[in-house]
Amino acid sequence: MAIGKKLAALLAASALMISAAAPVMAADTANAPLTLEYKDIEQQVLQNNLQVKNNEATIQNIKFNRVTETTQDTTSEMNNMIQTALYSMDSIINNSEASPDVVAVAGSTKLTLSMIGSMYGSMAGAQTTQYNNYSQQLNLTKLQLEQANYQLVNATQSIFATYYQLLYNVSQLEASKSSLEESLKAAKVQLSLGLTTKLNVAETEKNITELKNNIDDLKNQVTAMKGELNKMLGRSADAELTLGKLPSPDLDYVKKINVEDDAKEAVKNSYTIRYKEKELEYLKAHGSGDFRVDNNDRKMKKNEIDSETESVKTSLKKQYNTIVKQQNTLSVEQQKLKAEQTKLTQTQKKYDLGRASGLELKSQKNAVATQQAVVDSATATLFWNIESYKAIVGGLPASN
């Protein structure tokens, strides 16, 4: 029992969450200007994330049996840190002007971060006292921390995608603002001719002001995303960071998807199932001495494994259906874009012949820009849907 309490305290103290204050590192190197490519995120997080480093230190301390009596339980402090880290995602989710695609990816990121927090809380506050053998506990803890590390990678990748979703949302709103500004110019001319009212002009001006405020809010959230990415990489939130392009959706991968085969792989790789299987092994090897109790414990653990197996299969199927649905959505939005581009070509010809006004031409250009932003956002969502499917196959729990 004493060993279990000491281990739990050690895990709690070493679990400094991703939203903690600026990292204590050599500023000359760690905070140097960085261009981050999506393909490099995994390596960067596993090498530089402070929580990952603490996880490595935790494993080493367990190996060394170096658990001190003065270690303090900081579970409540960690919970506060998690809430701070989730604030940026909540800001996006609660923004009425954020597109559904942005909200969806932000929601996925929030859930991933919440799962990480729950995992550390579980390790800190509910470490099993049933297995206080260090070799057994080491195997279980290593598996939990490996999962935590890759969930941190997944969360960072999700924030990267969210950053671009926000940029596309800003582009969409700026195109809408441009259209409103053109409408305002026309309304003022109409007002001077007595063809409209001051109230209509004032209403348009109010809409433009509100749109500007929403754009500024989204731009602030874009900056916040960079800060979150920096912290995930073990850097100061305000360190200079440039993001590479968001990759295109891996459509070749989608064409080759076999859900049944992938489900088998996902079950095999599932961290949750692997952890429960180890628990079952230990239950079989270390009974309480009461056959009836031990038999029931093993049956319950086997039921947990079976239940989680079905959950993994269901999650993967659901994620595949999400991919298919998003592909259809993207196809529709692309068709709308082609239609707007065709209208623009026609409007340009009419303008050249003097049969369309400059206002009509600008309005159609803005319509194309708006729809292009919608297509870009839908494309980014499809990209992340596919990445989420890959993550489940790789063993991580579903984040939607």
Side-chain angles (χ1 to χ4, degrees):
M1 177 70 75
I3 293 176
K5 288 183 177 179
K6 291 177 183 178
L7 181 57
L10 174 62
L11 288 166
S14 60
L16 173 65
M17 297 311 298
I18 51 138
S19 54
V24 181
M25 303 178 70
D28 293 344
T29 56
N31 294 320
L34 173 68
T35 297
L36 178 65
E37 301 291 346
Y38 184 87
K39 63 181 178 61
D40 298 329
I41 289 177
E42 179 176 332
Q43 180 183 6
Q44 288 281 350
V45 171
L46 294 180
Q47 286 184 351
N48 301 316
N49 180 274
L50 297 184
Q51 183 57 56
V52 172
K53 291 183 177 182
N54 280 350
N55 291 346
E56 293 171 355
T58 295
I59 295 299
Q60 291 301 315
N61 281 350
I62 295 174
K63 288 180 179 179
F64 300 152
N65 286 0
R66 296 299 297 272
V67 184
T68 66
E69 295 288 350
T70 57
T71 303
Q72 299 296 313
D73 189 334
T74 59
T75 304
S76 60
E77 294 180 12
M78 287 191 295
N79 184 58
N80 291 334
M81 293 178 188
I82 295 169
Q83 297 307 314
T84 301
L86 296 175
Y87 176 78
S88 294
M89 295 304 151
D90 282 331
S91 297
I92 297 170
I93 294 169
N94 296 327
N95 189 324
S96 61
E97 292 298 324
S99 71
D101 287 336
V102 178
V103 172
V105 178
S108 172
T109 307
K110 178 181 177 180
L111 184 55
T112 299
L113 292 171
S114 297
M115 286 192 293
I116 296 170
S118 297
M119 179 181 298
Y120 283 114
S122 173
M123 285 190 288
Q127 277 292 312
T128 177
T129 59
Q130 197 168 7
Y131 321 120
N132 52 17
N133 178 283
Y134 264 100
S135 62
Q136 296 170 347
Q137 192 59 261
L138 176 61
N139 288 333
L140 288 171
T141 304
K142 284 176 66 177
L143 194 57
Q144 278 186 308
L145 294 182
E146 181 182 331
Q147 176 183 346
N149 289 347
Y150 280 99
Q151 282 193 276
L152 286 167
V153 170
N154 183 252
T156 307
Q157 293 168 331
S158 182
I159 293 172
F160 190 102
T162 303
Y163 171 88
Y164 274 99
Q165 288 279 28
L166 286 170
L167 284 184
Y168 300 144
N169 207 175
V170 168
S171 297
Q172 185 177 345
L173 293 182
E174 285 183 334
S176 298
K177 180 173 73 71
S178 180
S179 293
L180 278 177
E181 288 171 341
E182 293 300 325
S183 296
L184 178 61
K185 291 179 182 178
K188 288 182 176 179
V189 172
Q190 290 175 333
L191 180 63
S192 67
L193 299 174
L195 300 177
T196 189
T197 64
K198 290 183 178 180
L199 181 61
N200 287 338
V201 173
E203 184 68 22
T204 303
E205 290 175 333
K206 186 194 75 168
N207 291 338
I208 291 174
T209 299
E210 290 178 348
L211 205 49
K212 284 180 179 178
N213 291 338
N214 287 324
I215 290 172
D216 289 341
D217 188 24
L218 286 178
K219 285 182 176 180
N220 288 336
Q221 290 172 12
V222 169
T223 301
M225 288 301 98
K226 274 195 175 184
E228 293 300 329
L229 282 170
N230 268 322
K231 287 189 287 183
M232 284 292 202
L233 302 178
R235 294 157 52 87
S236 295
D238 59 354
E240 184 178 338
L241 179 65
T242 302
L243 272 61
K245 292 183 179 180
L246 186 70
S248 300
D250 192 348
L251 299 181
D252 289 336
Y253 176 86
V254 175
K255 292 177 182 177
K256 298 175 184 176
I257 284 180
N258 182 309
V259 178
E260 290 186 5
D261 289 344
D262 288 344
K264 294 176 183 178
E265 188 70 15
V267 169
K268 176 184 174 182
N269 294 332
S270 169
Y271 282 101
T272 303
I273 293 175
R274 288 161 60 193
Y275 186 90
K276 291 182 181 298
E277 286 175 339
K278 284 187 178 295
E279 287 183 314
L280 180 58
E281 289 176 11
Y282 297 152
L283 281 170
K284 291 178 178 178
H286 304 280
S288 66
D290 188 322
F291 172 78
R292 293 170 300 177
V293 172
D294 292 343
N295 189 49
N296 285 333
D297 284 344
R298 292 163 191 165
K299 284 182 178 178
M300 288 189 290
K301 188 58 62 177
K302 180 64 167 59
N303 289 339
E304 289 178 15
I305 293 171
D306 291 343
S307 177
E308 184 61 27
T309 297
E310 293 307 312
S311 178
V312 169
K313 292 178 180 178
T314 301
S315 295
L316 193 69
K317 179 63 176 177
K318 179 182 177 182
Q319 189 60 38
Y320 175 71
N321 291 338
T322 299
I323 291 173
V324 173
K325 181 180 179 180
Q326 186 60 28
Q327 281 184 303
N328 293 335
T329 298
L330 176 58
S331 178
V332 170
E333 298 301 341
Q334 288 173 330
Q335 289 173 7
K336 290 180 181 179
L337 176 59
K338 288 182 180 179
E340 294 295 347
Q341 289 171 332
T342 299
K343 289 180 183 178
L344 176 58
T345 300
Q346 294 171 346
T347 304
Q348 181 68 57
K349 290 180 179 178
K350 289 180 180 179
Y351 176 78
D352 293 340
L353 295 172
R355 292 161 53 189
S357 67
L359 177 60
E360 289 175 308
L361 181 60
K362 289 181 181 179
S363 177
Q364 189 54 42
K365 286 182 178 179
N366 289 331
V368 170
T370 299
Q371 188 58 31
Q372 180 65 62
V374 172
V375 169
D376 290 341
S377 183
T379 302
T381 299
L382 177 58
F383 166 79
W384 186 245
N385 290 156
I386 298 169
E387 292 297 288
S388 297
Y389 182 93
K390 291 179 180 179
I392 297 173
V393 175
L396 293 183
S399 58
N400 58 9

